[in-house]
């Protein structure tokens, strides 16, 4: 009598165990996705149903699906993308200009105390100046168009990045700076090796805030002083009572804001991989 | 037998248990250092005085440290211990008097000296190997790796500092201090924050490296037992002056036992602190 052992099929208990492991892995993947999207799905469902059931006048708020359909048609017709790109160009221009000027200035102000003593009062004064109140002045200087839009976005972006950079430099650990001095590193190497990396998380936090402000000011500037862009699209849709298009503009702006924040978060994770995650 | 084992483990070479005035090197002390390579620097403090405003922190301190000697300085907080270390390292200027290393007056940050602090002071944004090779000399990576091997952490070279334990961080800090092959290692309470077992490990590691490399060591500590366990000489710094300079001639291998003489040494030091 011989006993045949099959190598092709795993025993039932092993198969069951594999199935359970697979199910557990799937549940682990699904759980955060479901958690993150639950509130959004409920919100979109309410948006869809409230106009349909007459809870909200659909002239002012069409159902979500109709807005999406209108948005796809508008994009398909090639009318949406030029507005999106011109808005991105303005926001990115103002933001890039803000980073290029605020980071070096912040590093200087944070590092050299005499400079800080002289400049800080002026910077605080300028920071508190309402950007919307400055808009007419910017139009006088630059006229209606790209330069004004970029300038006003720059004005709101520069402050959080500047303050984030100054704070970051100030928060550099004095013990690390003293150690670097004790091994005879020159000032410029202490700056590059110790101060700049210390300031980086704070700079990125400022940049994220700046990015949020940039989209805020982008819409304002395009509503008042532009003939293109998503802000212009929204205000024009309001004038023409094209409510669907108005919400298309709102949704696209929200998506752009989310995308820019994701990008900066990814950059932050990459540049600050050394930081201990306190949640881990 | 390795140099370290010869140094710490052979009572026949090291002679009898004894204590004496640290200014006169004893027979046992000479024998203890005679078997190893002395790459350390001689340090001399002459009438060294340091004041901060009206407060006198160090008052006309005179001290001679021979190359390769291991000195421990104990004293109360605010007694001028760290100031003394900073003056030797060239990080501060004396109000009067002078510090000289191998006969040369100290006027700037001493590249021959390295300091270890109570906290490891590793750059959190650089991996372990980059921290060890922070000075970035020629061939820094190979030298950093050698130093990490010397402290037994070669396998942690690519880790971030935050994943290391307190003892491992101090070992990385020790490796970092060893890379430029210093003639003087200044230790500002480097083991103060460690648990007893890790501290004992660090003591063994430090003594092994000191024996192999022969650098001059000056350890600041609040722990009298630690000072007696590690040093050739224990100095008590009180009110800015050296109140006691005591040579410890007992072989290190025998210092862990609770001999009555060691207890007497401890009593004498504590009485002066």
């Amino acid at each position: 009598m011989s006993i045949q052992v099959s190598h092709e099929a795993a025993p039932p208990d092993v198969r069951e165990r594999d199935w359970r492991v697979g199910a557990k892995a799937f549940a682990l993947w699904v759980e955060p996705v479901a958690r993150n999207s639950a509130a959004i799905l409920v919100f979109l469902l309410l948006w869809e149903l409230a106009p349909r059931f007459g809870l909200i006048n659909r002239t002012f708020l069409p159902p979500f699906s109709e807005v999406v359909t209108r948005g796809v048609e508008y994009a398909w017709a090639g009318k949406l993308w030029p507005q999106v790109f011109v808005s991105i160009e303005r926001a990115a221009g103002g933001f890039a200009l803000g980073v290029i000027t605020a980071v070096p200035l912040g590093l200087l102000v944070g590092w050299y105390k005499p400079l800080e003593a002289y400049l800080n009062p002026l910077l605080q004064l300028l920071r508190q100046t309402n950007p919307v109140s400055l808009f007419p002045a910017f139009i006088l200087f630059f006229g209606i168009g790209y330069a004004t839009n970029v300038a006003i976005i720059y004005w709101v972006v520069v402050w959080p990045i500047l303050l984030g950079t100054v704070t970051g430099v100030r928060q550099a650990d004095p013990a690390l700076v003293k150690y670097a001095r004790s091994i005879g590193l020159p000032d410029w190497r202490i700056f590059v090796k110790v101060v700049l990396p210390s300031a980086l998380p704070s700079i990125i936090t400022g940049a994220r805030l700046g990015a949020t402000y940039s989209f805020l000011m982008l819409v304002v500037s395009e509503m008042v002083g532009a003939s293109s862009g998503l802000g212009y699209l929204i205000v024009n849709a309001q004038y023409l009572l094209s409510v669907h298009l108005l919400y298309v503009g709102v949704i696209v702006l929200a998506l752009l804001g989310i995308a820019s924040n994701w990008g900066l978060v990814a950059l932050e994770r990459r540049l600050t991989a050394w930081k201990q995650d306190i949640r881990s | 037998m390795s140099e370290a084992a010869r140094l710490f483990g052979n009572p026949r070479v090291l002679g009898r248990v004894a204590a004496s005035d640290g200014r006169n090197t004893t027979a046992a002390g000479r024998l203890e250092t005679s078997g190893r390579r002395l790459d350390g620097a001689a340090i001399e403090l002459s009438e060294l005085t340091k004041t901060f405003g009206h407060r006198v922190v160090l008052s006309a301190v005179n001290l001679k440290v021979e190359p390769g000697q291991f000195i421990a300085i104990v004293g109360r907080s605010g007694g001028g211990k760290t100031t003394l270390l900073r003056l030797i390292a060239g990080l501060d200027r004396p109000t009067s008097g002078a510090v000289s290393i191998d006969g040369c007056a100290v006027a700037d940050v001493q590249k021959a000296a390295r300091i270890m602090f109570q906290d490891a002071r590793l750059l959190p944004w650089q991996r372990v190997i980059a921290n060890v090779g922070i000075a970035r000399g020629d061939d820094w990576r190979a030298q950093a790796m050698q130093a990490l091997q010397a402290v037994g952490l070669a396998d942690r070279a690519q880790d971030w500092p935050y994943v290391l334990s307190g003892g491992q961080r101090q070992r990385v800090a020790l490796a970092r201090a060893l890379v430029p092959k210093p003639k003087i290692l200044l230790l500002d309470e480097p083991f103060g924050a460690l648990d007893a077992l890790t501290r004992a490990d660090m003591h063994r590691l430090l003594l092994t490296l000191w024996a192999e490399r022969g650098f001059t060591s000056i350890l600041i500590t609040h722990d009298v037992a630690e000072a007696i366990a590690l040093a050739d000489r224990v100095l008590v710094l009180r009110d800015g002056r050296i109140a006691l300079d005591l040579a410890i001639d007992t072989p290190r291998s025998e210092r862990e036992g609770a001999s009555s003489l060691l207890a007497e040494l401890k009593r004498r030091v504590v009485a002066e602190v």
Side-chain angles (χ1 to χ4, degrees):
Chain A
M1 190 175 108
S2 65
I3 299 171
Q4 279 191 327
V5 179
S6 168
H7 295 284
E8 289 174 3
D13 59 332
V14 173
R15 265 180 290 164
E16 192 176 333
R17 202 165 57 233
D18 286 350
W19 181 84
R20 280 182 184 170
V21 169
K24 201 173 175 183
F26 182 71
L28 280 173
W29 178 78
V30 163
E31 196 260 334
V33 174
R35 191 179 54 227
N36 290 339
S37 52
I40 295 170
L41 288 174
V42 169
F43 170 76
L44 294 179
L45 194 68
L46 283 173
W47 184 352
E48 180 69 26
L49 297 179
R52 286 190 187 281
F53 286 102
L55 298 173
I56 296 175
N57 187 339
R58 60 191 304 159
T59 310
F60 303 141
L61 183 71
F64 177 67
S65 58
E66 289 182 13
V67 173
V68 171
T69 308
R70 179 76 181 97
V72 171
E73 286 169 3
Y74 198 66
W76 198 253
K79 294 177 183 172
L80 181 62
W81 303 121
Q83 313 294 354
V84 173
F85 290 138
V86 80
S87 286
I88 289 175
E89 196 183 349
R90 286 167 184 155
F95 181 77
L97 207 58
V99 172
I100 289 167
T101 53
V103 171
L105 183 62
L107 293 173
L108 283 172
V109 171
W111 184 245
Y112 293 108
K113 281 187 179 170
L115 194 63
E116 184 195 358
Y118 281 105
L119 278 185
N120 198 39
L122 175 67
L123 294 177
Q124 292 298 334
L125 181 75
L126 294 177
R127 186 171 78 94
Q128 297 302 332
T129 309
N130 190 316
V132 181
S133 71
L134 283 174
F135 203 74
F138 277 71
I139 291 177
L140 284 176
F141 273 103
F142 303 112
I144 289 178
Y146 180 78
T148 299
N149 298 134
V150 169
I152 200 76
I153 291 166
Y154 167 76
W155 186 264
V156 292
V157 163
V158 76
W159 304 114
I161 301 177
L162 181 66
L163 292 180
T165 309
V166 173
T167 307
V169 172
R170 278 196 208 141
Q171 284 174 347
D173 187 349
L176 294 179
V177 175
K178 281 180 186 172
Y179 173 76
R181 286 199 204 289
S182 83
I183 61 170
L185 289 187
D187 270 4
W188 71 268
R189 283 194 71 194
I190 292 173
F191 190 80
V192 170
K193 272 189 171 298
V194 181
V195 177
L196 195 56
S198 295
L200 207 53
S202 186
I203 294 172
I204 293 174
T205 303
R208 284 176 62 184
L209 208 56
T212 307
Y213 291 170
S214 73
F215 281 105
L216 196 74
M217 199 36 96
L218 171 77
V219 177
V220 175
S221 68
E222 285 180 342
M223 282 177 170
V224 180
S227 53
S228 60
L230 289 165
Y232 173 77
L233 174 78
I234 290 168
V235 80
N236 201 40
Q238 185 206 355
Y239 294 147
L240 299 174
L241 275 177
S242 178
V243 183
H244 291 78
L245 209 52
L246 185 153
Y247 286 108
V248 168
V250 170
I251 290 170
V252 173
L253 273 168
L255 292 176
L256 286 178
I258 290 169
S260 75
N261 193 49
W262 273 356
L264 285 167
V265 168
L267 183 70
E268 184 177 23
R269 284 200 180 137
R270 189 175 171 78
L271 293 177
T272 60
W274 48 271
K275 278 177 87 176
Q276 187 171 11
D277 188 347
I278 55 170
R279 293 164 301 177
S280 63
Chain B
M1 189 185 291
S2 73
E3 281 180 296
R6 203 164 55 236
L7 191 60
F8 309 129
N10 193 339
R12 281 180 298 141
V13 175
L14 296 166
R16 65 182 180 80
V17 174
S20 67
D21 184 344
R23 272 163 272 208
N24 303 313
T25 309
T26 63
R30 276 198 302 274
L31 283 168
E32 192 172 5
T33 53
S34 65
R36 68 198 184 97
R37 194 161 42 89
L38 290 178
D39 288 338
I43 303 168
E44 185 166 1
L45 314 181
S46 313
E47 296 294 316
L48 192 68
T49 299
K50 179 71 182 176
T51 58
F52 291 105
H54 295 295
R55 199 165 70 86
V56 179
V57 180
L58 292 173
S59 176
V61 173
N62 290 295
L63 178 69
K64 278 187 180 177
V65 183
E66 292 179 17
Q69 209 169 28
F70 198 133
I71 302 276
I73 302 175
V74 293
R76 293 182 187 279
S77 294
K81 303 186 298 295
T82 298
T83 303
L84 185 69
L85 222 58
R86 289 180 60 80
L87 290 170
I88 293 171
L91 297 173
D92 266 337
R93 300 280 165 275
T95 308
S96 65
V99 179
S100 66
I101 291 176
D102 280 340
C104 299
V106 169
D108 206 347
V109 176
Q110 288 301 297
K111 300 244 172 179
R114 279 289 183 268
I115 306 184
M116 267 186 80
F117 301 93
Q118 185 170 17
D119 48 335
R121 302 193 181 182
L122 304 179
L123 300 179
W125 44 84
Q126 299 216 312
R127 292 180 191 274
V128 165
I129 189 156
N131 263 289
V132 174
I134 183 171
R136 292 290 193 275
D138 294 335
D139 199 21
W140 70 269
R141 197 173 283 276
Q143 288 178 23
M145 207 61 206
Q146 278 175 7
L148 278 172
Q149 277 164 355
V151 300
L153 283 178
D155 58 332
R156 309 302 296 270
Q158 294 304 325
D159 283 345
W160 294 111
Y162 78 82
V163 302
L164 303 179
S165 68
Q168 287 170 332
R169 283 180 213 184
Q170 280 301 50
R171 278 154 72 187
V172 173
L174 181 56
R176 181 180 60 184
L178 294 175
V179 166
K181 298 185 173 56
K183 285 172 170 282
I184 300 168
L185 186 62
L186 304 168
L187 303 140
D188 191 356
E189 298 186 58
F191 313 128
L194 302 179
D195 63 85
L197 291 173
T198 310
R199 186 187 288 213
D201 283 345
M202 286 300 292
H203 288 172
R204 277 191 286 275
L205 177 64
L206 176 63
L207 284 175
T208 305
L209 292 167
W210 172 71
E212 284 173 2
R213 301 182 181 217
F215 45 76
T216 307
S217 292
I218 299 184
L219 168 73
I220 282 175
T221 178
H222 284 111
D223 186 345
V224 176
E226 181 176 78
I228 292 173
L230 296 177
D232 298 318
R233 272 165 80 188
V234 176
L235 277 68
V236 174
L237 201 61
R238 194 180 62 207
D239 299 329
R241 294 174 184 276
I242 295 175
L244 180 73
D245 186 347
L246 188 70
I248 312 291
D249 296 333
T250 309
R252 287 184 171 78
S253 59
E254 295 173 16
R255 292 185 194 178
E256 287 179 7
S259 75
S260 58
L261 184 58
L262 286 172
E264 172 59 17
L265 291 177
K266 192 171 173 181
R267 190 197 62 72
R268 280 181 66 186
V269 174
V270 171
E272 292 292 343
V273 169

